[in-house]
């Protein structure tokens, strides 16, 4: 992921925020045709200091379920268009439009498993995590005749992260007045996605102020 120095971030709290807001990621592995194979899927995220793991599962019919080795995971964050008309210095600085966003690229080792007990634990943990997010309490029960066979149709994985690349492109390369103007313009749009982007810009500014 191309990341100019101005937009590079190393604080893993931003990765925590990214995966808390959207744990639906893209898993990339080498394909037989020389192009990457990819799957979009929800994952469980675990971090203990610098030790990071993702857990998830594929359909067994998915060719990626047979892959083990080096892989990448792409994590999406808030994003949105930034109009050049919002900048106070748009004319003297000849400003142009851009796109603000936050994202992460994770590189590491992918390990798969199909042990029934481990798969049952994984599916149960994923169900618990996302049921809670919608205020429900459905539970996976591997002892039920209807649920047990489902495990034979999936392959689980552990992704051990070896390198994290965080990119926060949040107008931090602009003068103070431009940053404030973009935040105000995004908030005035009254669209949840743009208001979230404005909030991320505020968070980033607050963190930068604390580190000064």
């Amino acid at each position: 992921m191309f990341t100019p120095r101005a937009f590079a971030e190393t604080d893993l709290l931003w990765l925590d925020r990214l995966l808390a807001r959207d744990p639906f990621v893209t898993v990339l592995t080498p394909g037989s045709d020389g192009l990457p194979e990819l799957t979009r899927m929800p994952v469980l995220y675990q971090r203990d200091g610098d030790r990071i793991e993702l857990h998830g599962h594929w359909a067994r019919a998915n060719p990626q379920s047979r892959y083990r080795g080096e892989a990448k995971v792409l994590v999406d964050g808030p994003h949105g268009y930034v109009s050049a008309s919002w900048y106070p210095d748009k004319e003297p600085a000849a400003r142009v439009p851009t796109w603000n966003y936050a994202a992460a690229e994770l590189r590491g080792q992918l390990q798969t498993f199909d042990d029934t007990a481990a798969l049952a634990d994984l599916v149960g943990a994923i169900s618990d995590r996302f049921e809670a997010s919608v205020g429900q309490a459905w539970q996976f029960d591997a002892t039920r005749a209807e649920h047990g066979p489902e495990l034979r149709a999936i392959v689980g994985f552990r992704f051990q992260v070896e390198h994290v690349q965080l990119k926060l492109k949040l107008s931090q390369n602009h003068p103070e007045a431009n940053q404030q103007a973009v935040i105000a313009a995004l908030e005035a749009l009254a669209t949840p996605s743009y208001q979230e982007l404005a909030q991320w810009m505020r968070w980033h500014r607050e963190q930068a102020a604390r580190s000064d």
Side-chain angles (χ1 to χ4, degrees):
M1 179 169 60
F2 173 62
T3 306
R5 183 177 299 178
F7 306 134
E9 180 57 61
T10 59
D11 191 336
L12 293 178
L13 289 176
W14 290 102
L15 182 61
D16 297 343
R17 280 176 168 165
L18 283 168
L19 281 157
R21 73 172 293 280
D22 189 2
F24 195 67
V25 305
T26 303
V27 179
L28 297 167
T29 60
S32 59
D33 60 358
L35 297 174
E37 297 279 355
L38 65 90
T39 302
R40 297 279 289 166
M41 64 172 70
V43 292
L44 296 177
Y45 169 63
Q46 296 178 350
R47 182 170 76 85
D48 183 6
D50 293 336
R51 187 173 185 275
I52 301 168
E53 284 192 354
L54 303 181
H55 301 256
H57 64 77
W58 288 288
R60 188 175 291 273
N62 187 330
Q64 277 192 308
S65 70
R66 297 184 288 277
Y67 178 81
R68 297 173 180 81
E70 191 170 31
K72 288 185 177 182
V73 170
L74 307 182
V75 184
D76 296 326
H79 63 92
Y81 178 75
V82 175
S83 171
S85 65
W86 295 340
Y87 300 130
D89 67 351
K90 56 183 173 292
E91 292 303 329
R95 298 295 185 185
V96 295
T98 191
W99 204 277
N100 276 6
Y101 62 94
E105 178 183 304
L106 312 178
R107 180 189 289 260
Q109 296 297 318
L110 196 60
Q111 303 169 346
T112 60
F113 59 90
D114 57 8
D115 173 77
T116 300
L119 286 175
D121 288 344
L122 173 63
V123 173
I126 291 175
S127 300
D128 291 346
R129 161 70 172 82
F130 294 109
E131 283 288 312
S133 72
V134 295
Q136 298 299 311
W138 180 91
Q139 291 186 317
F140 178 79
D141 183 357
T143 65
R144 285 187 57 181
E146 300 89 348
H147 287 183
E150 298 292 334
L151 298 177
R152 294 195 290 272
I154 63 173
V155 174
F157 71 81
R158 287 181 291 272
F159 181 68
Q160 296 178 320
V161 178
E162 297 174 338
H163 178 71
V164 176
Q165 188 177 8
L166 285 161
K167 183 174 183 178
L168 303 180
K169 185 175 179 291
L170 300 172
S171 298
Q172 64 266 47
N173 59 325
H174 276 262
E176 168 79 11
N178 284 4
Q179 294 180 43
Q180 294 284 15
V182 171
I183 291 172
L186 291 172
E187 291 178 334
L189 293 172
T191 302
S193 60
Y194 281 115
Q195 292 191 339
E196 182 188 22
L197 182 59
Q199 180 60 63
W200 277 62
M201 290 180 66
R202 288 191 183 279
W203 284 340
H204 190 267
R205 285 171 50 78
E206 290 167 3
Q207 183 190 56
R210 287 195 298 270
S211 62
D212 286 345

